[in-house]
Amino acid sequence: MSENPNPAESAPANGPADGTAAPATGPATTPADNTPGAEALGDAGKKALDAMKSNWHSERDRRKELEQRIADLEAAKSAPDPRADRRIIRAELKAAAAGKFADVSDVFNNVDLTQFEVNEDGDVDASKLNAAIEDLLTRKPHLAATKRPRFEGSGDGGASGRESGPSQLTRADLKGKSPEWIAKAKAEGRLNTLLGLN
């Protein structure tokens, strides 16, 4: 069995081979004391080395913190924005309810918007929207739009909708006519406007 004359060469630099910490046998060491060649630097060199190591550790910690913030921001960017989803759902619901309600805002007041989801393509399930609208119309039929047309009358301001009666005669039409002819026109109602009966 050969003996190792230099025990420092057989043990690792960080302590014994079994992984246990070497017992402390001297004064507490500073970071500069653990650096190879630190004893040759002197006190000023050790202080400079300690300051450099401290700066390095601070920069490393700051870099880790910034990397974590970047990772958090990236994760937040990829997460869906609930406000945008809510706007999409409201717009889809409004479009589906158009013409079915007297006031579309009644839909927003009576339908729970949280029951809908926006998929990855930005779409909302149309069958769910329609089912919610039909359910609301069943529960509250008084909210439905009335069936009467938006405009009553025709393009001529409703004139064609009036009952058409006999054509009316003017004073000029009566000039030169016999009393019998005028009596007949009166019986037919052709003088009503002239006589103020309309």
Side-chain angles (χ1 to χ4, degrees):
M1 174 196 276
S2 63
E3 292 185 13
N4 189 351
N6 189 355
E9 292 176 2
S10 62
N14 293 338
D18 64 359
T20 60
T25 57
T29 58
T30 63
D33 294 334
N34 293 332
T35 306
E39 53 279 341
L41 294 175
D43 286 342
K46 287 181 183 181
K47 285 181 183 178
L49 187 59
D50 285 344
M52 183 181 71
K53 284 184 179 183
S54 175
N55 287 342
W56 181 82
H57 288 299
S58 296
E59 289 299 319
R60 182 193 61 193
D61 293 344
R62 185 161 160 47
R63 181 178 43 87
K64 284 183 179 178
E65 180 185 326
L66 289 173
E67 286 172 352
Q68 182 61 45
R69 286 178 62 190
I70 290 170
D72 292 345
L73 288 172
E74 290 294 327
K77 232 191 248 188
S78 63
D81 182 3
R83 291 175 300 171
D85 285 355
R86 198 166 41 248
R87 280 193 296 270
I88 291 170
I89 291 168
R90 286 178 65 89
E92 293 288 330
L93 193 57
K94 183 176 183 178
K100 297 178 181 177
F101 292 87
D103 184 0
V104 179
S105 66
D106 290 333
V107 176
F108 304 128
N109 295 332
N110 293 286
V111 173
D112 179 17
L113 299 182
T114 61
Q115 66 180 309
F116 307 108
E117 292 181 4
V118 178
N119 66 17
E120 293 175 358
D121 297 329
D123 296 326
V124 182
D125 185 356
S127 61
K128 272 187 99 169
L129 290 171
N130 289 328
I133 289 169
E134 292 304 317
D135 176 59
L136 178 58
L137 287 172
T138 303
R139 288 184 294 119
K140 299 190 176 191
H142 62 279
L143 298 177
T146 58
K147 301 294 182 198
R148 107 182 108 102
R150 185 171 175 194
F151 297 107
E152 294 179 2
S154 59
D156 63 355
S160 64
R162 293 189 199 128
E163 291 183 16
S164 59
S167 61
Q168 297 295 305
L169 299 173
T170 65
R171 287 187 188 276
D173 295 331
L174 298 178
K175 283 188 182 176
K177 304 293 183 195
S178 69
E180 293 83 20
W181 188 90
I182 294 173
K184 183 180 175 193
K186 182 179 177 188
E188 291 173 353
R190 298 177 66 198
L191 298 178
N192 288 349
T193 303
L194 189 62
L195 296 174
L197 300 175
N198 278 351

